Amino acid sequence: MAAELLSPLLPRRRRGLAVAAAAPLLALLLVAVIFFRAPLTTTVSSPERVDLTLVAGAREKGAVCLDGSPPAYQLRRGSGSGAHNWLIYLEGGSWCNTTQSCYAQTMSNFGSSKFMRPVNFSGILSKDHLENPDFYDWNIVYVRYCDGASFAGDAEGEDLDGTKLFFRGLRIWEAVVDELMGKGMDNAKQTLLTGCSAGSLAALLHCDNFRGRLPQEVPVKCLSDAGFFIDVKDLSGERSIWSFFNGVVHLHNIREVLPKDCLQNKDPTECFFASELIKSISTPTFILNSDYDVWQAWSSCKADIRNCSSTQIDVLHGFRKKLVSKLKVAEDKRNWGLFIDSCFTHCQTPSNISWHSPVSPRLDDRTIAEAVGDWYFGRRQDVKLIDCEYPCNPTCSSLLSTA
């Protein structure tokens, strides 16, 4: 891989990854790795390797990965003016929606800490102020993902051969936050909860809970990167995301983290979608998403949108239109932010290239890092940027060129 960049979403070493029961959903995740490759002409600093820490006393709390092993995180201490600021990043990696797919996931770092290796810090996790101008000196915590349900479930199950499975994402979340509070986060001056993909959805699910764990005088905000999955027919004509989420929600017993007002009127699966979650979140939140997200818009042309037919492009434009309409709730909320680009990609915070570089996607002549920083620190008012339809934004070309 040119100018080696290891995405926190997709670590180098993965064994027997099973992200879903259906082959197309596996392909969706594998295609996404394309968009974390750096162009040959781009110079970036070497990503940083940070040691892995297993959560102490996790088994006693029942806070375990799918296979019963303890969960883990990586912590890099802050320095200087950022020594008391905390950024919590929840790893992504799809979901498992059947006992078979969850069992398969126990053979990988997405279901067992036995297979975890430290992943490199880059993008919003970077300690280089040129690549990460606002958060480079913060305490950075990268929470590893091994429960298969966005840190949200609380149940047990068995595979067909009788192997016990643990769906304990919610307990993992609680155990990690408890441990970090004991390591200095209880004295935080500023905090940001974020993540990408399944980790991004987790950031939305736990946003207000995280706010409640810290004193009211401490600024707490949330950033969702590529977690705005919507219930819409894909290019194959199927409601694939809804069907997939339905399996996840019921298998993992996801209810406690879902909005109570939503559950009063709707099915839990519908309440698991970001479009419903944002209606009840009171903590200031920034939504970063592609309105042509490659994970959701499955098609034979998804590896390179330039190969899509006019009919396929029309369907993608329809997807964009629905996503933008669902985001109206966030657009109308005070102190919220948006960066919705028309780049054909998925997860943009963990890569130096897309987060903040000379070839990063831009809206209003701002990189994602600049827009997020303007929103978080109040340098500009009303940071709500929504791109025009593909192919209007030439700054997306660096991502397309990596396919």
Side-chain angles (χ1 to χ4, degrees):
M1 184 183 299
E4 185 73 357
L5 279 177
L6 296 186
S7 163
L9 174 64
L10 297 165
R12 176 200 297 272
R13 299 189 64 179
R14 37 172 49 192
R15 307 181 188 183
L17 173 63
V19 297
L25 289 168
L26 174 60
L28 289 172
L29 186 61
L30 295 179
V31 169
V33 73
I34 293 170
F35 298 94
F36 296 103
R37 296 176 182 269
L40 290 170
T41 57
T42 302
T43 301
V44 296
S45 65
S46 299
E48 175 193 10
R49 186 65 60 92
V50 177
D51 290 340
L52 198 68
T53 299
L54 296 179
V55 177
R59 285 195 176 97
E60 291 74 11
K61 299 177 180 179
V64 292
C65 300
L66 287 168
D67 71 335
S69 60
Y73 60 89
Q74 294 169 246
L75 165 62
R76 187 190 69 229
R77 290 289 184 177
S79 61
S81 61
H84 296 289
N85 300 331
W86 289 75
L87 185 152
I88 311 301
Y89 195 101
L90 304 178
E91 183 179 33
S94 193
W95 306 264
C96 59
N97 65 337
T98 66
T99 54
Q100 295 93 328
S101 63
C102 288
Y103 173 73
Q105 212 155 300
T106 65
M107 298 295 109
S108 79
N109 53 287
F110 288 126
S112 173
S113 59
K114 297 174 184 177
F115 299 111
M116 290 180 186
R117 301 293 182 271
V119 298
N120 290 346
F121 280 19
S122 59
I124 196 174
L125 310 174
S126 175
K127 66 177 181 180
D128 186 335
H129 74 281
L130 294 177
E131 297 171 357
N132 189 23
D134 288 310
F135 307 109
Y136 71 95
D137 59 353
W138 285 34
N139 294 282
I140 303 292
V141 183
Y142 184 65
V143 185
R144 303 301 295 270
Y145 181 45
C146 66
D147 69 281
S150 291
F151 301 89
D154 193 5
E156 292 182 9
E158 288 186 358
D159 190 27
L160 295 178
D161 66 357
T163 301
K164 194 169 186 178
L165 296 169
F166 300 88
F167 309 126
R168 300 288 183 76
L170 179 56
R171 298 193 199 190
I172 292 174
W173 159 258
E174 293 170 345
V176 169
V177 173
D178 286 345
E179 185 156 312
L180 295 176
M181 295 293 276
K183 290 190 172 184
M185 195 170 70
D186 57 334
N187 292 315
K189 303 300 182 185
Q190 297 180 103
T191 61
L192 178 64
L193 176 64
T194 184
C196 82
S197 195
S200 170
L201 184 60
L204 293 176
L205 287 164
H206 295 296
C207 185
D208 282 346
N209 173 267
F210 187 60
R211 161 70 278 176
R213 295 294 302 268
L214 294 157
Q216 285 301 307
E217 63 270 18
V218 176
V220 176
K221 297 186 179 184
C222 301
L223 164 61
S224 167
D225 174 16
F228 211 90
F229 302 93
I230 59 175
D231 177 17
V232 64
K233 290 183 179 179
D234 56 29
L235 287 176
S236 66
E238 301 296 327
R239 292 176 64 195
S240 300
I241 298 295
W242 189 93
S243 298
F244 189 48
F245 275 6
N246 188 54
V248 174
V249 167
H250 289 91
L251 178 66
H252 292 259
N253 186 34
I254 299 175
R255 287 194 69 92
E256 187 173 337
V257 298
L258 301 178
K260 301 300 182 288
D261 53 346
C262 181
L263 289 173
Q264 289 177 0
N265 303 301
K266 297 180 180 179
D267 181 270
T269 299
E270 190 169 353
C271 299
F272 193 58
F273 281 90
S275 57
E276 291 297 327
L277 295 174
I278 62 173
K279 294 176 182 178
S280 63
I281 295 174
S282 58
T283 305
T285 299
F286 192 101
I287 306 295
L288 164 63
N289 225 87
S290 164
D291 49 19
Y292 298 95
D293 187 278
V294 296
W295 204 94
Q296 297 188 69
W298 170 253
S299 75
S300 58
C301 69
K302 72 175 297 172
D304 190 338
I305 195 172
R306 292 167 296 191
N307 293 332
C308 292
S309 68
S310 59
T311 300
Q312 290 171 320
I313 289 292
D314 287 343
V315 174
L316 290 172
H317 287 333
F319 174 86
R320 173 190 180 276
K321 183 177 181 180
K322 183 164 186 178
L323 184 142
V324 171
S325 70
K326 294 288 187 181
L327 286 167
K328 189 69 168 59
V329 173
E331 195 173 3
D332 291 341
K333 286 197 173 190
R334 185 172 174 270
N335 297 327
W336 282 45
L338 295 169
F339 191 105
I340 311 300
D341 60 42
S342 58
C343 305
F344 206 51
T345 187
H346 182 72
C347 283
Q348 300 178 81
T349 54
S351 164
N352 291 332
I353 301 306
S354 52
W355 175 244
H356 188 65
S357 78
V359 294
S360 294
R362 282 170 164 75
L363 294 179
D364 193 29
D365 199 31
R366 281 180 274 180
T367 64
I368 297 167
E370 289 168 337
V372 170
D374 287 347
W375 163 77
Y376 188 94
F377 297 102
R379 293 190 295 247
R380 295 196 191 186
Q381 297 298 314
D382 206 31
V383 184
K384 294 172 180 173
L385 309 172
I386 299 179
D387 209 353
C388 45
E389 287 187 349
Y390 171 86
C392 69
N393 189 341
T395 66
C396 289
S397 61
S398 61
L399 299 182
L400 285 172
S401 66
T402 63

